[in-house]
Amino acid sequence: MAIFSPPVVRSGAGVLNRALFTKTVNLAAAAVNDNRLISKYRKELEHSKELLRQDRLSPIVNHPDKTLADQGKKCLLLSPNVKAPEPETWGAALKEGVQKKELSVIPYELQLNYDYWTYHDIITSILPEELHDDIPSGFNTAGHVAHMNLRERYIPYKKVIAEVILDKTTNIRTVINKVDNVGAESEFRTFQYEVLAGPDDMQVQVTENACTFEFDYSKVYWNSKLEAEHRRLINMFEPGEVVCDVMAGIGPFAVPAGKKGVFVWANDMNPESNKYMQVAINRNKVSQYVRPFCEDGRTFIHHAADSVLEAHKNGEHVLIAPKPPSRAKKAPKLSEPKRVDVPPTISHFVMNLPATAIEFLGCYRGVYAGHEDLFSEQGRKLLPLVHVHCFSFKADDETPLNDICERITKYLGFPVKPGNPDVEGEVAVHDVRDVAPAKRMFCASFRIPREVAFAKRD
């Protein structure tokens, strides 16, 4: 309702003055003579639609008379349509309560201040009307840090926007704005930023998919909007399989996968990412499953395939202790720990570097050169699935799928088309998320073709 909107506080300098956000809303209230009747009349007035229904406002308030308020007397706030001096605006329930002397209808001045209104309310009040069509509201979070990417026309108001976000968002202590594109500062997908509000403290802690990560947000890549995509792929991995995470970052795929008993060869070229991935591996107690590496992803693809096979030949394994019996049951004879061997081949390759990952696909040539026997009828028939993230056009037709398949064909050196990823030469394309008005992120999944996997290595 308009009467509950904040006052218009236009400020060309974009300065936040919280004291200006005060407003008195004149209402009627039903003063309840006996507090034991509050519940009864609340229900009746709610049913008759005479009770105030407004977000973030309780209809039960203290009596405006201080003496009566000190005695514990309460009032029920009424709809703006109900006027205290105009009985013709009262409904049957209200009139009956007054006739019984259980209620009295009085004027009530409701005081609203800055704390009542939402971020959107406050910003709409401050920004000029020509900026109301696309008010900044979405941002990434990493622990206590809110990471914005403000458009140019909102830059004059960046400080006030950040201050209101800080006031209105639980657990946010620092607001930053990106001042370049991710990766423009370095190949490690880090970015330059400016602090708009709060301390310049980028050491954060986040929890995702039941795992805890600690890292310096200014030195590694993290995107809270990818949690669902991380979970989607992790759900594909089976305990006892091997996953090769070629561009692992700090481990949002690798660490939760390790927690479900998946062996992960996790690589990232950024030494800082590798450092914090090791912190996450230890903190989440998955060191027996997740192995961190710090290499160029192009060479790591072959290295990982060779390393996994070598680990298998060496009999590397984990021992899973049996679950202890519950107290309610009689303790049985303790069983032996279950041994799970590292398998000889990789089941999944993950490549989450959407700007350039497709360009790495040529590195799969010869990944299993000379090891055709591992994929024979007696060995493992299916070659690994590759999950490569990429950007493409935002369109409702087949344009993005065709674009992605053309680029995979170019860099893989093998023709592919949209279809079933378990069929050689076919690709399943999953729509991940919007990243810009005309740009989306996708994940293309396909099995490495035999011609590529068994090609002679250079």
Side-chain angles (χ1 to χ4, degrees):
M1 285 181 272
I3 64 169
F4 294 99
S5 298
V8 175
V9 183
R10 301 282 187 253
S11 174
V15 176
L16 177 62
N17 185 344
R18 296 170 182 81
L20 296 178
F21 289 90
T22 59
K23 186 173 186 178
T24 300
V25 180
N26 292 308
L27 298 171
V32 185
N33 296 332
D34 185 340
N35 284 358
R36 291 174 295 181
L37 298 174
I38 290 175
S39 178
K40 169 194 170 185
Y41 278 108
R42 178 175 183 168
K43 290 178 182 177
E44 290 184 6
L45 293 172
E46 196 169 45
H47 180 72
S48 65
K49 298 183 179 179
E50 293 173 272
L51 192 71
L52 178 69
R53 298 182 64 181
Q54 181 67 20
D55 291 343
R56 305 181 307 284
L57 284 178
S58 171
I60 303 174
V61 294
N62 291 330
H63 198 289
D65 184 293
K66 187 177 184 305
T67 301
L68 294 176
D70 290 343
Q71 295 173 14
K73 296 298 184 181
K74 302 290 183 181
C75 292
L76 293 169
L77 294 180
L78 301 174
S79 165
N81 298 326
V82 179
K83 311 295 182 184
E86 302 175 18
E88 63 270 20
T89 65
W90 306 353
L94 195 56
K95 289 179 178 178
E96 182 181 350
V98 172
Q99 290 171 356
K100 291 181 176 180
K101 301 188 183 307
E102 294 176 345
L103 299 177
S104 55
V105 182
I106 61 173
Y108 189 95
E109 292 184 347
L110 177 66
Q111 303 296 327
L112 300 179
N113 59 27
Y114 178 84
D115 292 337
Y116 167 70
W117 287 292
T118 66
Y119 164 80
H120 191 273
D121 292 334
I122 299 293
I123 292 299
T124 302
S125 173
I126 293 172
L127 294 180
E129 289 187 10
E130 61 267 23
L131 296 182
H132 286 188
D133 60 329
D134 192 21
I135 289 175
S137 57
F139 49 84
N140 288 332
T141 59
H144 65 270
V145 176
H147 171 198
M148 305 199 73
N149 186 12
L150 289 172
R151 297 184 182 180
E152 188 65 32
R153 60 184 184 146
Y154 293 100
I155 294 300
Y157 299 89
K158 61 186 180 183
K159 293 287 187 180
V160 67
I161 290 171
E163 284 189 69
V164 179
I165 286 175
L166 208 60
D167 289 341
K168 300 296 181 178
T169 311
T170 305
N171 299 326
I172 293 298
R173 300 199 309 272
T174 299
V175 182
I176 65 172
N177 184 45
K178 183 172 67 175
V179 295
D180 63 10
N181 291 324
V182 172
E185 182 179 338
S186 78
E187 61 186 319
F188 300 143
R189 291 189 284 179
T190 56
F191 56 90
Q192 291 185 342
Y193 67 93
E194 59 177 335
V195 176
L196 301 182
D200 187 0
D201 176 13
M202 301 292 275
Q203 196 69 35
V204 302
Q205 178 176 304
V206 301
T207 299
E208 182 179 288
N209 290 316
C211 294
T212 300
F213 300 87
E214 295 178 0
F215 53 92
D216 185 330
Y217 189 38
S218 68
K219 295 180 179 179
V220 303
Y221 177 78
W222 178 268
N223 191 331
S224 58
K225 294 180 180 179
L226 292 176
E227 181 173 4
E229 175 63 4
H230 296 153
R231 187 182 307 114
R232 183 184 73 89
L233 286 187
I234 292 164
N235 287 340
M236 293 184 185
F237 309 152
E238 296 295 334
E241 290 184 332
V242 178
V243 170
C244 173
D245 194 348
V246 184
M247 300 96 172
I250 64 168
F253 288 109
V255 175
K259 219 169 187 181
K260 66 182 286 188
V262 177
F263 294 103
V264 187
W265 265 241
N267 173 71
D268 200 275
M269 193 175 173
N270 181 355
E272 290 292 328
S273 294
N274 180 267
K275 178 179 79 174
Y276 288 113
M277 176 162 51
Q278 292 188 54
V279 170
I281 289 169
N282 293 328
R283 179 173 183 131
N284 294 283
K285 301 178 181 178
V286 293
S287 57
Q288 62 179 341
Y289 288 104
V290 183
R291 307 185 187 198
F293 299 85
C294 188
E295 303 177 14
D296 186 322
R298 294 174 179 84
T299 57
F300 182 70
I301 290 171
H302 281 186
H303 173 207
D306 296 342
S307 174
V308 169
L309 180 57
E310 188 67 22
H312 173 77
K313 289 179 177 178
N314 291 338
E316 295 182 29
H317 62 276
V318 299
L319 294 175
I320 303 175
K323 291 183 179 180
S326 65
R327 293 182 179 180
K329 296 181 180 179
K330 184 178 179 180
K333 183 180 178 181
L334 290 177
S335 58
E336 293 295 320
K338 179 183 177 182
R339 172 174 169 145
V340 180
D341 293 302
V342 175
T345 61
I346 295 167
S347 296
H348 300 264
F349 284 89
V350 178
M351 305 177 73
N352 183 22
L353 187 66
T356 59
I358 283 182
E359 298 172 15
F360 287 59
L361 294 180
C363 299
Y364 286 100
R365 292 197 66 80
V367 65
Y368 281 112
H371 294 295
E372 291 87 343
D373 58 307
L374 295 175
F375 302 92
S376 66
E377 290 293 335
Q378 292 74 32
R380 183 182 176 87
K381 291 193 293 185
L382 293 177
L383 279 146
L385 273 170
V386 175
H387 308 282
V388 56
H389 290 90
C390 57
F391 297 129
S392 190
F393 312 105
K394 183 178 180 179
D396 295 328
D397 56 17
E398 301 297 305
T399 302
L401 276 67
N402 293 333
D403 167 64
I404 292 167
C405 287
E406 286 173 10
R407 286 187 285 146
I408 291 175
T409 295
K410 174 183 175 181
Y411 288 102
L412 186 64
F414 189 90
V416 300
K417 62 181 182 181
N420 181 351
D422 284 329
V423 176
E424 185 175 272
E426 295 188 7
V427 179
V429 179
H430 174 74
D431 189 341
V432 178
R433 59 181 288 262
D434 270 338
V435 293
K439 183 179 179 182
R440 289 193 65 79
M441 178 179 173
F442 297 87
C443 179
S445 299
F446 62 91
R447 291 204 179 272
I448 304 174
R450 299 179 72 84
E451 177 183 310
V452 173
F454 303 138
K456 185 178 178 180
R457 291 189 181 181
D458 296 332

